[in-house]
Amino acid sequence: MGVVALKLSDTTLGRVMCRPKGVIAGTWLILVVFVAVFAPYLTPYEYDIQDLPNAFRAPDAAHWLGTDEFGRDMLTRIMYGARTSLSVSTIAIGISVFCGMCLGAASGYFGGRFDRAVTAVIDLTWSFPEILVALILVAIIGPGVTGAMVAIGVAYLALFTRLTRSQIMAIKSETFVEASRSLGASHGHILMRHLLPNTLAPVIVAAMLATGDAIILEATLGFFGLGAQPPTPSWGGLMSSGTAQMFKAPWIIIIPGVAVAVTVFAINLFGDALIHALDVRARVRES
Amino acid sequence: MLGYFIRRVLVLIPVSLAVSMVIFSIIHLIPGDPIDNLLKIGAGPEQREIMTARYGLDKPLAVQYWIWLSGVLQGDLGTAIVARRPVADLIAQALPHSLALGLCALAFSTFFGIVLGTIAALNRDRWPDQLIMTVVLLGSTVPGFWLGLLLILVFSVWLGMFPVSGARDWSAMVLPVLTVGLGGTALVARVTRVAMVEAGQRDFLMLLHAKGMRPARIQLRHVLRHALIPVVTILSLRIGWILGGAVTVEVVFARPGLGTLLIKSLNQHDYPVVQACLLILAMAVMLGTLAGDLIQAAMDPRVRAAL
Amino acid sequence: MKFTKHLLAASVSVAAIIATAPAVFAQEATIVLPSNTVGLTSYNPVTAILTNAASFLIFDRLVEVDAARSYHPHLAESWEEAEDGMSWVFHLKQGVTFHNGVPFNAQTIADWLPLYDGTDNAYYTAAIDSIQVVDEYTVKFVMKHPEPNLLYNLAIMGVPEPKSFVAMGENFGVTETIGTGPYKLESFDIGQQTVLVRNDDYTWGSPVAKNTGPAKFEHLTFREIAEASTAFLELKTGGVDMLLSVPADFVPEVEKQSDLKLVSVPGRELVYMVMNVVKEPFTDIKVREAAALAINQQEILDNIYGGIGQVADTFLISALPEAKVADDYRISFNPDKANALLDEAGWTMGADGVRMKDGQPLEVSLWTQSDSVFRRLSEVVQAQLKAVGISAEIATFDSAMIRDQYKSGEQQVAVRSYVWDNADIVDWFFGGDRLGYPNISMFNDPKAEELRAAAMTGSKSSDERIANFTAYHEYVLSQFPFAPIYQPVVSVGYNTSRISMPEVFDAPGIGSTVLMDMAPVE
């Protein structure tokens, strides 16, 4: 191989980053991930050591974002909270993308009774608000990080199954697939080589946008006390513990909420840029 | 059209049965025994058996399901185990609160969503469009419960304009409606804008322009009308969300609605109540979807012709 | 069809909810019940083990207690105890009628008391052998053994109308309830609110309250708000008129506001951490003692409760004579001893600050209820246990549900509280026949059972009862099934533009005495 002159604007990521929206959103997301990964090296405070006499301190030089009800540094808690929120939501969406693609591909490709059964179940859960699905699942699995992950993963399963299925249905009768089949290719080969790669682009975009929703869902579960259990911080858990004192120390609920909103906003902007870059139609957002 | 309607309604029957079965079996996976609440202190296993038998919880799951289902079909939702009263009474108390909140929020988000979406579409890619779409996007990325808390903080605690919680009168509705409605507004505005832009590129509009009709009139009379089809579809799909989507907001505002009832019964393992709540939510979702399809069929000449 | 009717009613009330304007009458007050009484399932004075202030207004009692814990007439005008304590005679008030018009007389008592047999509250009447109707307004109790605590029990026991009680079965107290009290039950939405309407015929109030006639408010609404901070915000913003218990956290905030007023009532609550003595690692008394000594009561008082109230060092509120145990039995913070005990028990400190024994970490599950004050307290307890090398994972349960959860016996350690002002609470929470709930610790010790029997049934006089209960209490303390934490002061907060109240209450807690003297502001 010779020297490949990789032009930035030829890559998908490059095209995303060429748009101003994409740059701003991308920078914020990289920053959040960086902070989540390197939290222990970025703050002089521990996230779980209580300092009760210093509880409810308003933001100042020592604690840039103030302290919480146990005197712990809010900025530190937010940084560690980013770890919980990001890992729970990305892993959950990962689970649901993987399972959804398998289910959707199988039911779209093979059709028949299996397809009808899957579609019926998926349509039903899809029309249920995700928060309800997640709440019931957490009641079954039990609260905590694992429970939240599985619950969120299942709540978004329907989205990816539907999306993959509809994509497969659309292209499974196209000429190149028919050609491959007449040449004697196995089902597995056709699925893996021809069909799934073609569904990837819209799934990536949908996964991006769903991760944003999953962060909100994780925060909501955390707010109900069903997410990460104390003293592990999560953005939702931080807001939950601040509720009781909101008239006295409003920063305890305001700051984590802003962190959630800005991050989800950035994910959406980045997703928009990705839609243009990947040339997937706006339909993905509406589905 | 009538045939289509009948077909759709008939399909609902097996689907509802399946739904009721799923709901019933899922609930029995939740750990915890509601009978604990009824047992007297120091009660032995015999008393537990007696109580379990009294509520029919000792029978095989399939039999329990059949008893429950035949009750539901006769309009009897059973008796709440922890709350100790007919489930129908509890639902009847809670449902109006959820419906009132949901309908007002729906009206709010429909009105503001269409207005904002139209303004954005008419000013496509200019600053009003970008401003509206950015604000609207931000609105949909804010967690509902957090928005509710902020509204309580600002309007109830600091300004003292509205009640903090409960459902005494209309003033207690304002903040919850705002909270639920703002999220919906974002969706409606986005769909309206996209639909307006797409409808605006149709060929027949050229004809109207050519015939000399005023552009504003074209936009409002023809483009908007066409754009409303997807908007109505999306909205009707959300009819089920009117009841179920506001769970967190109901809890934040301590409104005694269906969501609050569901969460409380879930925490207290009061199975009959959880079952009834979920069944009603599922029915609302299915009827909403049906209504959406029918409305779509009635509004869109192409779909209507295809029936 | 039943449900169709409901749906119709529901759709009508949707319109009503949207359309109704606020209707505020001076004759009406909204009161928030303390969060520890949230979850009452019925107003049944015989079977319920949880009561709230509203039940004190629906039902009257034979006797009433004042702040100094002495007894005064109510439905009983006077009484005599036999020299040997083996019989009591009560002379009843005449002209008293129940809400349904049935007259109250000696036969009522004879029909009512046997209803307690076989219920969770059977111990109230356990000492009574038989009840004799002497004449229409005189009744005599023949005792199995002397019961120095009889008047205390009678001051708690609300009198229901016995015939309706039997006829209505389990619906009594749920859909309808009938007493002789100053208010009638108008509606009861479980977990939400209870609306009471004035009993205009009421003339038989206890002289402990200044007002013995009909109550001053026509309607009272008691709201149940599990979240203390929401309740406080409602009071602050005028959504409700009164909080029967302002959490200590919010006391300074209420004091700041000019239209709100606080009245303190001596507390009857005790917050504690309880350990399950039949679950590892708490089967080892050294581990229990270490965990108990790891609790820093003063730190909790100062930081969670704003320094209001006092620390607890026994199982009883300090106003009770049985709380005066020898100093050796008092349990208070001693981290050095806690660490030494754990070392002795073979739990050695691991690298991550969690102790280990035989390759197992010292990990426990800490149960708590879902309201914010308890969650906060539990996080501090979690940190305090961690400081001596015990890692606790918090499990949160619905406040109304957690009592049932204990019945499973799965708990290891829990943070909770009770409200009671009699030493027999030691029997209630540590008696060997109530394992699970209320005996969350599963404590069942032969020596304790012996001392308990002596205290409950073997005391001939008040003094003897105090001595017996002190001995029983001391023994329970020595076994460390729990760690005392905190005793609050009850602060009633109310809106002075809506309600007027006497400056001091002649009552040991919030009951009918306090609520009868409450009046609307003209």
Side-chain angles (χ1 to χ4, degrees), chain A residues 129-190:
Chain A
E130 281 91 7
I131 179 68
L132 283 183
V133 177
L135 280 174
I136 292 161
L137 285 170
V138 171
I140 295 171
I141 308 165
V145 172
T146 326
M149 259 183 219
V150 176
I152 297 172
V154 175
Y156 285 98
L157 186 59
L159 172 70
F160 294 103
T161 313
R162 275 174 77 104
L163 189 60
T164 313
R165 181 179 170 278
S166 65
Q167 295 288 321
I168 298 266
M169 297 285 275
I171 52 172
K172 80 170 177 187
S173 48
E174 288 203 13
T175 355
F176 71 99
V177 181
E178 296 290 339
S180 180
R181 191 174 294 140
S182 60
L183 286 172
S186 69
H187 289 316
H189 179 84
I190 295 176

Side-chain angles (χ1 to χ4, degrees), chain B residues 33 36-42 54 73-75 77 82-86 88-93 95-97 99-100 103-104 152 156-157 164-166 168-170 173 254-256 264 267-269 280, chain C residues 1-3 6-7 10 13-14 17-22 41-42 49 118-120 170-171 174 188-192 223 225 230 233-234 236-237 239 398 400-401 404-405 407-408 428 433-435 437-438:
Chain B
D33 189 349
D36 283 332
N37 188 266
L38 302 173
L39 289 180
K40 280 201 318 221
I41 284 159
R54 216 178 103 186
L73 290 178
Q74 291 164 40
L77 293 173
V82 177
R84 291 170 208 191
R85 53 196 70 205
D89 287 359
L90 295 172
I91 301 266
Q93 273 170 18
L95 199 55
H97 292 291
L99 277 178
L103 290 174
C104 291
I152 291 178
S156 303
V157 179
V164 174
S165 70
R168 283 186 303 281
D169 51 61
W170 63 269
M173 288 270 296
R255 279 183 71 79
K264 197 171 72 183
N267 286 336
Q268 303 186 343
H269 309 156
I280 285 177
Chain C
M1 293 235 299
K2 201 169 172 199
F3 191 64
H6 278 303
L7 278 180
S13 35
V14 173
I17 285 170
I18 300 176
T20 47
T41 49
S42 86
I49 57 170
T119 68
D120 293 337
E170 283 183 4
N171 283 332
V174 178
F188 172 36
D189 295 349
I190 189 161
Q192 305 285 352
R223 276 182 67 185
I225 301 180
T230 307
L233 289 180
E234 284 283 14
K236 184 180 161 74
T237 57
D398 184 88
M401 186 63 195
D404 304 326
Q405 215 65 39
K407 290 180 187 166
S408 70
W428 180 253
D433 53 356
R434 300 195 186 97
L435 300 178
Y437 186 84

Side-chain angles (χ1 to χ4, degrees), chain C residues 275-289 345 347 357 362 364 412 441-442 479-480:
Chain C
M275 291 164 272
N276 187 339
V277 302
V278 300
K279 277 258 174 196
E280 292 288 353
F282 296 116
T283 45
D284 185 344
I285 187 169
K286 287 196 177 113
V287 178
R288 296 205 298 269
E289 184 172 357
W347 293 97
K357 182 182 179 178
L362 186 48
V364 295
Q412 279 181 302
S441 68
M442 310 290 278
Q479 297 299 307
F480 298 97

Side-chain angles (χ1 to χ4, degrees), chain C residues 18 78 95 114 128 165 194 219 230 253 255 308-309 331 338 384-385 401 416 420 475 493 504:
Chain C
I18 300 176
S78 63
I128 301 174
F165 186 91
T194 302
H219 277 91
T230 307
E253 301 292 323
E255 280 169 342
I308 298 161
I331 301 172
Q384 292 179 349
L385 290 175
M401 186 63 195
R416 63 185 315 280
W420 199 251
Y475 182 71
V504 278

Side-chain angles (χ1 to χ4, degrees), chain A residues 48 50 52-56 69-70 72 77 143 223-225 229-231 240-241 243-248, chain C residues 227 229 232-233 236 249-250 253 299 303-304 372 375-377 379-380 382-384 386 392-396:
Chain A
D48 61 344
Q50 299 184 353
L52 294 172
N54 274 321
F56 303 118
E69 53 180 341
F70 302 106
R72 299 175 297 204
R77 302 272 300 164
F223 178 71
F224 280 113
Q229 296 297 303
S240 163
S241 65
T243 318
Q245 309 289 342
M246 74 179 173
F247 59 93
K248 179 157 110 186
Chain C
E227 184 45 58
S229 53
F232 162 72
L233 289 180
K236 184 180 161 74
D249 242 7
F250 302 114
E253 301 292 323
E299 186 183 58
N303 294 293
I304 302 293
S372 59
R375 282 199 323 214
R376 217 168 134 213
L377 170 64
E379 279 200 56
V380 174
Q382 182 185 40
Q384 292 179 349
K386 181 77 194 299
E393 192 183 307
I394 294 178
T396 313

Side-chain angles (χ1 to χ4, degrees), chain C residues 213-506:
Chain C
K216 305 273 176 45
F217 281 98
E218 210 170 278
H219 277 91
L220 288 182
T221 302
F222 287 89
R223 276 182 67 185
E224 296 185 33
I225 301 180
E227 184 45 58
S229 53
T230 307
F232 162 72
L233 289 180
E234 284 283 14
L235 179 71
K236 184 180 161 74
T237 57
V240 302
D241 306 316
M242 188 182 213
L243 250 59
L244 288 185
S245 175
V246 179
D249 242 7
F250 302 114
V251 164
E253 301 292 323
V254 175
E255 280 169 342
K256 267 191 234 161
Q257 212 161 323
S258 58
D259 57 341
L260 300 182
K261 194 170 173 193
L262 277 173
V263 184
S264 291
V265 186
R268 302 193 303 154
E269 186 175 5
L270 190 118
V271 180
Y272 62 104
M273 177 182 89
V274 55
M275 291 164 272
N276 187 339
V277 302
V278 300
K279 277 258 174 196
E280 292 288 353
F282 296 116
T283 45
D284 185 344
I285 187 169
K286 287 196 177 113
V287 178
R288 296 205 298 269
E289 184 172 357
L293 298 181
I295 302 302
N296 186 344
Q297 288 89 350
Q298 193 64 44
E299 186 183 58
I300 291 173
L301 170 66
D302 292 343
N303 294 293
I304 302 293
Y305 300 106
I308 298 161
Q310 58 186 109
V311 297
D313 56 6
T314 71
F315 195 69
L316 298 171
I317 56 167
S318 30
L320 294 176
E322 294 88 346
K324 294 179 180 49
V325 295
D327 283 346
D328 286 352
Y329 293 106
R330 295 184 188 273
I331 301 172
S332 55
F333 183 51
N334 188 343
D336 297 338
K337 194 171 177 199
N339 278 312
L341 281 163
L342 287 169
D343 288 336
E344 234 176 274
W347 293 97
T348 49
M349 194 58 105
D352 57 347
V354 179
R355 285 173 184 271
M356 306 279 289
K357 182 182 179 178
D358 308 329
Q360 292 292 315
L362 186 48
E363 279 173 351
V364 295
S365 170
L366 171 65
W367 289 17
T368 190
Q369 54 207 56
S370 52
D371 50 298
S372 59
V373 178
F374 266 100
R375 282 199 323 214
R376 217 168 134 213
L377 170 64
S378 307
E379 279 200 56
V380 174
V381 168
Q382 182 185 40
Q384 292 179 349
L385 290 175
K386 181 77 194 299
V388 298
I390 303 174
S391 159
E393 192 183 307
I394 294 178
T396 313
F397 296 90
D398 184 88
S399 307
M401 186 63 195
I402 193 161
R403 292 180 203 95
D404 304 326
Q405 215 65 39
Y406 291 127
K407 290 180 187 166
S408 70
E410 292 298 315
Q411 62 275 11
Q412 279 181 302
V413 54
V415 174
R416 63 185 315 280
S417 79
Y418 74 78
V419 182
W420 199 251
D421 57 353
N422 191 299
D424 61 13
I425 198 72
V426 184
D427 155 81
W428 180 253
F429 281 114
F430 296 103
D433 53 356
R434 300 195 186 97
L435 300 178
Y437 186 84
N439 189 347
I440 300 159
S441 68
M442 310 290 278
F443 180 70
N444 190 5
D445 176 305
K447 181 158 183 225
E449 290 300 297
E450 233 171 79
L451 290 167
R452 171 183 170 222
M456 285 300 283
T457 57
S459 313
K460 290 185 187 59
S461 66
S462 286
D463 288 346
E464 203 179 322
R465 187 175 185 270
I466 291 169
N468 285 340
F469 261 109
T470 309
Y472 174 40
H473 183 204
E474 284 178 342
Y475 182 71
V476 171
L477 284 164
S478 74
Q479 297 299 307
F480 298 97
F482 76 98
I485 298 178
Y486 166 68
Q487 308 177 60
V489 169
V490 177
S491 307
V492 179
Y494 64 95
N495 191 325
T496 48
S497 63
R498 303 264 302 134
I499 292 178
S500 74
M501 294 275 256
E503 286 295 315
V504 278
F505 301 138
D506 194 9

